[in-house]
Amino acid sequence: MPTPLSADAFDAMLDRLAAGVDDPVIKAKVLASRDVGYILTEDTLHLFSAYEIDLWEAALDWHLDNLR
């Protein structure tokens, strides 16, 4: 039976996923999604407000800058 993950368990799962990724862009996207609580893609862009997009981009930029 499916069991929901707690926020802490989900964050830990994303941290483990990011640790196993070599591509810095993918790693930054995983970590940004952990930070903001969602992942933004071309297919889902229309579902988010300008504010949410700005938050996503700021988190992504921060991780990209700090992974290099």
Side-chain angles (χ1 to χ4, degrees):
M1 171 173 279
T3 305
L5 290 175
S6 69
D8 289 339
F10 189 71
D11 287 350
M13 180 186 70
L14 290 176
D15 287 338
R16 286 190 306 275
L17 176 63
V21 173
D22 291 330
D23 184 316
V25 174
I26 294 173
K27 184 178 284 211
K29 287 180 179 184
V30 170
L31 294 171
S33 68
R34 182 203 58 203
D35 293 349
V36 299
Y38 51 88
I39 191 163
L40 201 116
T41 68
E42 274 188 40
D43 293 334
T44 62
L45 186 65
H46 67 283
L47 301 172
F48 294 92
S49 69
Y51 176 74
E52 291 167 322
I53 293 168
D54 288 345
L55 286 178
W56 166 260
E57 290 176 348
L60 182 59
D61 289 344
W62 188 90
H63 285 290
L64 286 171
D65 290 344
N66 288 290
L67 288 173
R68 294 179 183 167

